[in-house]
Amino acid sequence: MALISYKCPACGGPLKWDAAKQKYGCEYCRSEYTQADLDKLEENATTEKTQEAQAAADMTGKQNNQAGAIRTYSCPSCGAQIVTDGTTAASKCYYCHNPIVLSEKLTGTFKPDCIIPFAIDRKKAQQIFKDWVKKHQYIPADFYSDSQVEMLSGVYFPYWIYNAKVNGSVRGRGMNDRVWVQGETQFTETTTYEINKSGEMPVSNISRIALNKASKVLCESVAPFDEARMKPFEYGYLSGYVAESRDVESAAITPEIHQEVEEFAKAQLQGGVYGEFQKVQLESVNTDIKSESFKYALMPVWTLTYKGRDGKVYYFSINGDSGKTVGELPVDKTKLIGLFAKVAVPVLVGLLALFHFLG
């Protein structure tokens, strides 16, 4: 995999993902490439090797490049495990703003199946933040200072994507009444039907954040993400960004997802039956989950955090694909006191004048 390091085929310079153009760009010769372009160049390069040499080179190259391209940083304050590509220069934790420490050995498993690449670049993200701040008053000035805006970080957050098929069946009796009046007498005729239905229902793209730590609020707040824009994972998409490493395995969330899927399937089965009859007596509603699978995915979020004077960490997040914004704001008490003074003092002066006049 010669191109896994994402060097420019034209000049050898580093390639970075351009969210605005949805292409890789070289900062030196200004060449641009799509993922398909790089895949084609890689395919052409590998066809020149013999089968035996190709297998050996691919194995060695993949191991070396993955080891060289990915690093894990550990925050000594909040414990966040941040995975970045080898060219990312990170001096502070994006969550708590404390210095991060480079871990020479990549810990855990980091092999995403798919990714939604950033569609919003840094410049646009900063403008979105500035426009958002203008709509809010009484927040500390240093929350939106130039130095704070520069700390806006593009982060890929880990998710599990669940897919399955559910076999369901329902048994019981359905009853419909026919009512008519003849003379002064009302008659009711009840027709009873046997209910015995079964079928298969696909369940697609149930997502769960793969984080236990507090920082998961940064990405949960800007959900949902459009799974239709998912692409096969390539390391090049990490260029210029950082990525959180998951700390929740699929087995830990499987019981919760099973319960959700079974409840939804039973509701669908019962809803279909109740819609056909006036009265229903159910004997059994059964579900059986089949062909389930998990995909490990990375989702894009621009995020900014701020530690207030009260010690609380406030946040602002942008969905790096759709542009949806969410934030929890700190309050500048000095500005609130100023507002109170502007409103309360004139009122107090007016009341004193009124009392003086009445007195």
Side-chain angles (χ1 to χ4, degrees), residues 32 65 71 84 95 144 146 152 159 172 209 213-214 217 248 338:
E32 295 179 345
N65 283 316
R71 292 289 186 270
T84 76
Y95 183 65
Y144 54 88
D146 290 342
L152 191 66
Y159 273 79
I209 181 66
K213 56 180 73 80
V217 70
V248 174

Side-chain angles (χ1 to χ4, degrees), residues 107-127:
T107 59
T109 303
F110 183 64
K111 296 180 181 178
D113 300 302
C114 44
I115 187 171
I116 296 181
F118 275 88
I120 295 174
D121 61 18
R122 172 175 291 277
K123 183 177 180 180
K124 184 175 181 180
Q126 290 177 338
Q127 188 59 52

Side-chain angles (χ1 to χ4, degrees), residues 112-271:
D113 300 302
C114 44
I115 187 171
I116 296 181
F118 275 88
I120 295 174
D121 61 18
R122 172 175 291 277
K123 183 177 180 180
K124 184 175 181 180
Q126 290 177 338
Q127 188 59 52
I128 290 174
F129 173 70
K130 291 176 181 178
D131 292 341
W132 181 82
V133 167
K134 291 177 183 177
K135 300 176 184 178
H136 300 81
Q137 298 178 338
Y138 316 119
I139 59 179
D142 51 355
F143 178 74
Y144 54 88
S145 65
D146 290 342
S147 59
Q148 177 76 354
V149 173
E150 286 300 317
M151 295 180 70
L152 191 66
S153 301
V155 184
Y156 283 107
F157 283 96
Y159 273 79
W160 286 112
I161 310 297
Y162 177 84
N163 294 278
K165 294 180 180 178
V166 183
N167 291 330
S169 64
V170 57
R171 297 183 54 139
R173 291 189 301 275
M175 290 152 280
N176 288 333
D177 292 334
R178 185 173 72 90
V179 180
W180 73 95
V181 177
Q182 186 172 342
E184 297 182 355
T185 304
Q186 178 176 291
F187 297 89
T188 300
E189 178 185 70
T190 299
T191 304
T192 301
Y193 302 87
E194 290 293 324
I195 298 173
N196 190 355
K197 292 187 174 183
S198 62
E200 182 181 84
M201 180 181 69
V203 175
S204 302
N205 296 324
I206 295 179
S207 62
R208 287 290 187 277
I209 181 66
L211 282 177
N212 274 319
K213 56 180 73 80
S215 56
K216 68 181 182 181
V217 70
L218 300 174
C219 55
E220 286 183 326
S221 57
V222 292
F225 295 88
D226 185 3
E227 281 84 7
R229 293 176 58 82
M230 203 84 72
K231 298 179 182 294
F233 177 76
E234 296 288 350
Y235 283 97
Y237 292 128
L238 297 183
S239 182
Y241 303 95
V242 296
E244 269 275 20
S245 179
R246 74 174 187 258
D247 61 1
V248 174
E249 297 305 317
S250 58
I253 60 174
T254 298
E256 174 191 338
I257 291 180
H258 279 181
Q259 181 178 351
E260 179 181 325
V261 169
E262 289 171 356
E263 289 177 355
F264 177 75
K266 288 180 179 179
Q268 293 296 307
L269 287 167
Q270 294 175 12

Side-chain angles (χ1 to χ4, degrees), residues 258-334:
H258 279 181
Q259 181 178 351
E260 179 181 325
V261 169
E262 289 171 356
E263 289 177 355
F264 177 75
K266 288 180 179 179
Q268 293 296 307
L269 287 167
Q270 294 175 12
V273 170
Y274 281 106
E276 295 181 18
F277 304 100
Q278 296 171 344
K279 292 181 289 186
V280 174
Q281 294 179 349
L282 294 179
E283 297 175 359
S284 65
V285 180
N286 298 310
T287 59
D288 185 19
I289 299 176
K290 301 287 187 181
S291 305
E292 61 182 351
S293 64
F294 282 93
K295 291 188 296 185
Y296 178 33
L298 297 181
M299 308 296 195
V301 178
W302 283 103
T303 188
L304 184 67
T305 57
Y306 173 82
K307 192 170 185 178
R309 294 181 180 178
D310 56 1
K312 181 179 179 180
V313 175
Y314 297 87
Y315 72 92
F316 170 78
S317 295
I318 306 172
N319 186 311
D321 182 53
S322 69
K324 177 184 176 182
T325 59
V326 176
E328 184 179 4
L329 292 171
V331 176
D332 189 331
K333 293 183 179 179
T334 302

